[in-house]
């Protein structure tokens, strides 16, 4: 059963190896002559004024949250779309009710200008 | 040892170790990334249970989307390294250990109560996890009501997110 996933496993392993080997090979093979200006976040750039770990605005969270809601909507569409013809009219109406309910949410988001950056 | 069993053991160890990392690491971002690894090993475990659709959704929604929320919360709260608490917390530890033992006992009891309608490895079990079977079950009369309820839950979440985060809501 698992045999059919060997290509997937091979791809995951190759991906991990690609990342690890490229970074490590650079560390081992490349010359390393560090100095103070090379280690600044932007070499030959602006002087950093504060820590990069700042609090983020909650507005980013709103966008992420709304993205996930509609992401989950699409997840529910997959099983429906995969066997759309066999499922027939009942599933079509069930899906329509589902989508319309979420569309009400979408209208609310647009009307409240929730995605406007102010 | 069969390949399935080897695969299961590797994934189970990965899941257990990454779950421990989530609670043992001091840096919240390291914890979050360990949680991603945990979700990935869970997806692999779903595959060994012939739940292909669940495995893919686990990767897309949990390891992808839900983790975005978790990392966002970490960034919003601007958590640094967890500092060693000065107060003695033996009482807290005792309560924690007691509560987790109760939870563990409940989980083990729940697992013994699970019904197994199809035998593992049977041809029915192979088909059940496929996307078409999930669709057939989801749009059957048994599950269509919970399915519609999901849309209301998502609607409530959308409205809630807007109300809680929008500053001057008109």
């Amino acid at each position: 059963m698992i045999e059919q996933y060997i290509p997937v496993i091979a791809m995951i392993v190759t991906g991990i190896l690609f990342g690890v080997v490229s970074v490590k090979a650079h560390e081992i093979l490349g010359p390393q002559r560090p100095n103070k200006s090379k280690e600044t976040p932007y070499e030959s750039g602006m002087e950093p004024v504060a820590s990069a770990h700042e609090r983020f605005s909650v507005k980013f969270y709103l966008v992420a949250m709304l993205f996930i809601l509609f992401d989950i909507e699409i997840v529910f569409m997959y099983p429906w779309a995969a066997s759309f013809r066999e499922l027939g009219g009942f599933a079509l109406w069930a899906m329509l009710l589902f989508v319309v309910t979420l569309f009400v949410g979408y209208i609310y988001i647009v009307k409240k200008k929730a995605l406007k950056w102010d | 040892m069969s390949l399935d069993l080897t695969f299961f053991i590797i994934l189970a160890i990965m899941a257990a170790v990454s779950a421990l990392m989530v609670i043992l690491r001091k840096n919240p971002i390291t914890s979050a990334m360990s949680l991603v690894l945990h979700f990935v090993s869970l997806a692999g475990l779903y595959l060994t249970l012939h739940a292909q659709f669940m495995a893919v959704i686990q990767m897309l929604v949990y390891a992808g989307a839900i983790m975005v929320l978790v990392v966002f919360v970490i960034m919003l709260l601007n958590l640094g390294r967890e500092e060693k608490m000065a107060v003695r917390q033996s009482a807290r530890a005792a309560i924690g250990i007691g509560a987790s033992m109760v939870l563990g006992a409940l989980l083990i009891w729940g697992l013994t109560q699970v019904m197994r309608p199809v035998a593992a490895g049977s041809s029915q079990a192979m088909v059940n996890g496929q996307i078409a079977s999930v669709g057939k079950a989801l749009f059957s009369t048994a599950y269509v009501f919970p399915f519609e309820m999901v849309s209301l839950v998502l609607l409530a979440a959308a409205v809630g997110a807007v109300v809680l985060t929008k500053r001057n809501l008109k």
Side-chain angles (χ1 to χ4, degrees):
Chain A
M1 164 59 198
I2 280 302
E3 291 83 27
Q4 52 186 310
Y5 294 111
I6 284 175
V8 180
I9 297 165
M11 202 181 128
I12 292 170
V13 172
T14 315
I16 292 169
L17 281 182
F18 182 73
V20 172
V21 168
S22 342
V23 171
K24 281 290 153 193
H26 154 78
E27 243 173 54
I28 295 162
L29 298 174
Q32 283 180 14
R33 285 181 289 273
N35 63 39
K36 201 157 181 280
S37 65
K38 272 185 188 170
E39 278 164 6
T40 54
Y42 301 100
E43 198 184 341
S44 319
M46 300 272 287
E47 289 286 327
V49 285
S51 161
H53 299 274
E54 274 193 28
R55 285 182 81 156
F56 274 65
S57 168
V58 77
K59 285 181 274 183
F60 293 101
Y61 188 78
L62 179 63
V63 175
M65 185 79 187
L66 296 176
F67 154 69
I68 285 164
L69 293 178
F70 292 104
D71 191 39
I72 293 167
E73 180 188 0
I74 296 303
V75 163
F76 277 102
M77 275 185 171
Y78 272 119
W80 172 66
S83 43
F84 169 70
R85 290 204 187 278
E86 294 125 77
L87 290 171
F90 177 70
L92 180 67
W93 288 108
M95 198 67 216
L96 206 63
L97 184 59
F98 182 81
V99 172
V100 164
T101 313
L102 279 164
F103 191 67
V104 173
Y106 176 71
I107 291 171
Y108 176 81
I109 291 161
V110 171
K111 283 280 171 197
K112 290 288 179 191
K113 297 189 173 62
L115 295 172
K116 280 257 163 62
W117 205 259
D118 58 7
Chain B
M1 202 157 53
S2 72
L3 193 60
D4 276 29
L5 189 62
T6 321
F7 199 63
F8 170 78
I9 289 171
I10 293 170
L11 284 169
I13 292 170
M14 255 175 74
V17 169
S18 54
L20 278 174
M21 292 266 285
V22 174
I23 54 171
L24 293 178
R25 293 284 90 191
K26 295 277 185 232
N27 190 328
I29 291 288
T30 318
S31 288
M33 291 305 119
S34 310
L35 195 56
V36 172
L37 190 62
H38 182 69
F39 285 148
V40 171
S41 16
L42 277 191
L45 285 174
Y46 287 149
L47 273 187
T48 65
L49 294 171
H50 315 297
Q52 299 94 330
F53 181 61
M54 275 306 293
V56 173
I57 294 309
Q58 172 81 12
M59 292 282 269
L60 276 179
V61 174
Y62 278 84
I66 301 292
M67 281 317 295
V68 170
L69 279 190
V70 173
V71 173
F72 262 77
V73 168
I74 293 171
M75 295 200 307
L76 283 174
L77 298 175
N78 197 18
L79 295 171
R81 279 171 180 279
E82 189 184 45
E83 264 131 55
K84 274 252 188 273
M85 275 181 240
V87 286
R88 296 274 300 160
Q89 29 183 340
S90 51
R92 273 193 220 172
I95 293 169
I97 290 168
S100 10
M101 278 170 82
V102 170
L103 186 65
L106 270 175
L107 275 174
I108 291 165
W109 177 79
L111 282 176
T112 62
Q113 302 296 308
V114 171
M115 288 190 295
R116 293 187 186 79
V118 288
S122 67
S123 56
Q124 186 57 38
M126 297 284 190
V127 170
N128 268 357
Q130 281 166 11
I131 188 165
S133 319
V134 174
K136 228 166 269 165
L138 194 62
F139 294 100
S140 69
T141 43
Y143 292 111
V144 79
F145 182 69
F147 167 68
E148 297 301 346
M149 285 304 105
V150 167
S151 69
L152 286 181
V153 172
L154 291 177
L155 179 63
V159 174
V162 173
V163 168
L164 285 175
T165 57
K166 198 72 182 150
R167 198 168 289 152
N168 32 36
L169 196 68
K170 284 184 285 296

